[in-house]
Amino acid sequence: MRLSRYFLPTMKDTPAEAQIVSHRLMLRAGMVRQASAGIYSWLPMGFRVLQKIEQIVREEQDRMGGQEMLMPTIQSADLWRQSGRYDAYGPEMLRITDRHEREMLYGPTNEELITNIFQAEARSYRDLPKQLYHIQWKFRDEVRPRFGVMRGREFLMKDAYSFDLNYDGAKESYNKYFVCYLRTFARLGLKAIPMEADTGPIGGNLSHEFIILADTGESAVWCHKDFEDADAANLTVNYDDSKAVQSVVDHFTSLYARTDEKHDQAMFESQVPADKRIERRGIEVGHIFYFGTKYSDPFGAVVAAPDGGEVPVHMGSYGIGVSRLVGAIIEASHDDAGIIWPECVAPYKVGLVNLRVNDDTCVVACDQAYAKLQDAGVEVLYDDRDVRPGAKFADMDLIGLPWQLVIGPRGLEKGVVELKSRATGEKQEMSLESALAKLSA
Amino acid sequence: MRLSRYFLPTMKDTPAEAQIVSHRLMLRAGMVRQASAGIYSWLPMGFRVLQKIEQIVREEQDRMGGQEMLMPTIQSADLWRQSGRYDAYGPEMLRITDRHEREMLYGPTNEELITNIFQAEARSYRDLPKQLYHIQWKFRDEVRPRFGVMRGREFLMKDAYSFDLNYDGAKESYNKYFVCYLRTFARLGLKAIPMEADTGPIGGNLSHEFIILADTGESAVWCHKDFEDADAANLTVNYDDSKAVQSVVDHFTSLYARTDEKHDQAMFESQVPADKRIERRGIEVGHIFYFGTKYSDPFGAVVAAPDGGEVPVHMGSYGIGVSRLVGAIIEASHDDAGIIWPECVAPYKVGLVNLRVNDDTCVVACDQAYAKLQDAGVEVLYDDRDVRPGAKFADMDLIGLPWQLVIGPRGLEKGVVELKSRATGEKQEMSLESALAKLSA
């Protein structure tokens, strides 16, 4: 993409309304614009990042055996009355009345609807287990939306639902999601720590929030320091091997890690040596939860059991905040100059900077580099604008593409271009051919 | 995907509520389920088709120079007051009041919001032209939603917006979308005829609806029979060559084609010989429209002109009904037994049918075929269920995958399998190797 044609409105000044760094940088880098309080439009570059995150989440769901579907945003109030949550949900639910005076709502989550769909079709234990998910916009009418996409009202979420014959089956499903989430967040370049979370009236211990440590997080968290070194990036496991899956879960739940909902200071101090205690704030990016027959009971989601008779299915739900992750990744990866994208979610891999757009030799070299990178399938943003080099460098650092390929007349005379790594700041002079080979590798 | 694990609830009986064939077949083939009146959940197989259509629409927008972004579903009423449409829109607009008593709405379209975004950032004629689009769920509170996804309330639409310095520029943008739409619908296997449509108070002739001829269509249409032979499937054009683009537009607008909004019987009879006159019904799948400064005026979307001074930008909007297209394609391509998917949007290319799941030789052959097709990157749905062959054949015809690869013990004894084309019904016996080679080609 040529920057001269791209809709990328960057800002030099820090927007007054933004309190945290990811919000400031997303506005300044031209990724989003607020449409109403807590509701954002994603401009082309922001949308690219959102799509890449969504795709990684999708791939990991599919790998685990998830089947993607899509439920609508607008739901019927009657469905929520059936579960008893219509009255219980409170003012965060956006309630709507349609032209026929029917009560509707903008879905904040989908347990009711998926259970309703499932109960109409499932017949037998042979239809189990099932893992269904969708990636859809949700709405929660937060009283004070803030922190940009981190705590917006309209937000994109992946929510998955598991259906099993009994508790043991449901636990196997739960474990799969646990591992799937470790893999997903690791692929996104994030260190997300699974922390024991509240199970409410369901009881048991099958509820974990996946938390990224960050000072701007909404909840206080306590965990063992060894989580910082735990690496899920190369975690490979056969999801059909339930023992192998369980052992990964056991490994990642063996150390203390709890949010304020479940924190027990005495237990923390007894289980974790003083020099290993981390007490910080965290951002929730995922939540997995087993809730048994809480919804299958009221919706009559039953199947024929192997030994005859009908039993309600055991369910769990599994969320990932997709739009929130854009902010969370920036919170975890930036510096004073701007965003530092991990390559896997970067909107483009390379920023190609033409230092002198009125120099024919320089333009030819840049055009060729642009064409060659595109031919090699490398995503490249080409700054061909007629602006000062200083402004180009500042914008490149701000938008945070992993590599900057800088081409100017002086370097070309010497037969070199400059390749800069955004993450390390390291600059290398080399021939254009070497730079292209390195970027295309 | 193994059918034994897939969430694909097919139905033998015709659902009473479905009046048109696409609605019936989408329900019977387990593609969608109604959540509320005019609001649908897309089950896994339906969602695959929706995604494939969306991706073709996206690729053609990108090829033309469109930049994808994403605007939210919920908009502020104030924005629509600024254009005067809040009161004008009527009861089809889903109006919402949030917890702070602010008036909001579920966007039925996005002219206001995109103009608002654009005006805040655009400065100069150098920022033009721009083509921005998004693919997002919309809501229109139809008084009588019907025909399944063809006239639903919550529907997926691609809407694009062009920004130009003046009428001539806007006309060039309009022409690009005209050609882009011809290409898009041709790639979807549809014959969509561009018909002159009403421009309302804007005037001029820059408004076309793209219409598929079908008895179940919502509007009466009149056109020249030669459109039936016009082929846009191999249409290649350089979008930067405005003369070449104009000549394609001229070619496709040289023959009479109008909806009831613009039909002139005398002109029709004088321009079209009696044996070339088509008078039928049609389904609108796209609409392109130039509206000048209708929105840039009230929103102050102005840029500095080359000769100094400020001028309002000239805009157009360009819609494609993505979810509606799923139904439209089925209306255009089915038979008594079920859907006949064009390969480009088929949920899977091949249905692999195991005729005897308790025969070891048969299972081994099928498992191998399944693995080999997957390795070759062929999308395959493997019917490994323990049900009668007749039920398997009926389901395969119903869901309409382009190819059926049928493997049974009797054939294997002779060293053959059967390959059936869903579109032609032609069956061929051949070795498994030949069948796999043919499907992987």
Side-chain angles (χ1 to χ4, degrees), chain A residues 193 213 221-230 255-257 268-269 271-280:
Chain A
I193 301 172
L213 300 181
V221 299
W222 291 259
C223 70
H224 195 292
K225 196 172 173 356
D226 286 0
F227 271 113
E228 287 190 337
D229 308 317
L255 298 174
Y256 190 97
F268 182 53
E269 288 174 14
Q271 290 188 4
V272 185
D275 62 331
K276 292 281 195 181
R277 288 178 202 151
I278 290 185
E279 184 177 342
R280 283 191 61 184

Side-chain angles (χ1 to χ4, degrees), chain B residues 117-128:
Chain B
I117 291 168
F118 192 82
Q119 74 80 20
E121 313 297 345
R123 296 280 166 270
S124 152
Y125 68 93
R126 288 188 209 88
D127 296 328
L128 304 176

Side-chain angles (χ1 to χ4, degrees), chain B residues 243-437:
Chain B
K243 280 189 185 162
V245 172
Q246 180 72 56
S247 78
V248 175
V249 174
D250 289 345
H251 175 70
F252 277 89
T253 52
S254 60
L255 298 173
Y256 190 97
R258 293 185 169 192
T259 68
D260 40 12
E261 269 181 353
K262 288 271 284 184
H263 176 60
D264 176 329
Q265 187 66 22
M267 189 189 288
F268 182 53
E269 288 175 13
S270 80
Q271 289 187 5
V272 184
D275 62 330
K276 290 284 196 181
R277 288 178 202 149
I278 291 184
E279 185 178 341
R280 283 190 63 185
R281 301 195 71 78
I283 300 168
E284 181 195 335
V285 287
H287 189 182
I288 63 178
F289 188 61
Y290 162 76
F291 49 72
T293 61
K294 180 176 175 186
Y295 298 95
S296 46
D297 283 333
F299 284 96
V302 297
V303 294
D307 54 3
E310 283 189 330
V311 292
V313 294
H314 285 243
M315 294 175 58
S317 70
Y318 312 88
I320 290 181
V322 177
S323 48
R324 155 172 281 208
L325 273 167
V326 181
I329 291 170
I330 295 174
E331 290 289 330
S333 185
H334 66 271
D335 62 16
D336 288 345
I339 302 167
I340 303 172
W341 288 117
E343 202 157 311
C344 53
V345 298
Y348 295 89
K349 180 177 177 181
V350 184
L352 169 62
V353 179
N354 180 346
L355 288 181
R356 189 82 59 80
V357 296
N358 42 22
D359 177 301
D360 286 348
T361 318
C362 199
V363 169
V364 168
C366 287
D367 284 358
Q368 282 180 351
Y370 184 51
K372 282 185 181 166
L373 286 168
Q374 287 189 308
D375 288 348
V378 177
E379 293 176 319
V380 52
L381 184 65
Y382 176 12
D383 191 347
D384 60 340
R385 296 173 303 166
D386 186 10
V387 302
R388 296 179 296 107
K392 294 192 175 192
F393 291 137
D395 271 350
M396 273 298 162
D397 281 352
L398 173 62
I399 66 176
L401 309 184
W403 297 98
Q404 298 172 13
L405 178 59
V406 181
I407 302 181
R410 256 182 293 174
L412 287 175
E413 272 174 30
K414 291 190 291 174
V416 296
V417 299
E418 186 184 275
L419 189 61
K420 175 181 162 183
S421 157
R422 176 67 181 90
T424 66
E426 194 193 347
K427 297 175 185 175
Q428 276 190 289
E429 288 201 336
M430 58 181 80
S431 71
L432 180 54
E433 289 64 39
S434 306
L436 295 177

Side-chain angles (χ1 to χ4, degrees), chain B residues 75-94:
Chain B
Q75 303 179 19
S76 130
D78 285 342
L79 207 55
W80 287 68
R81 291 208 178 87
Q82 215 168 329
S83 70
R85 286 210 289 181
Y86 188 66
D87 294 325
Y89 214 94
E92 283 197 3
M93 178 184 277
L94 188 67

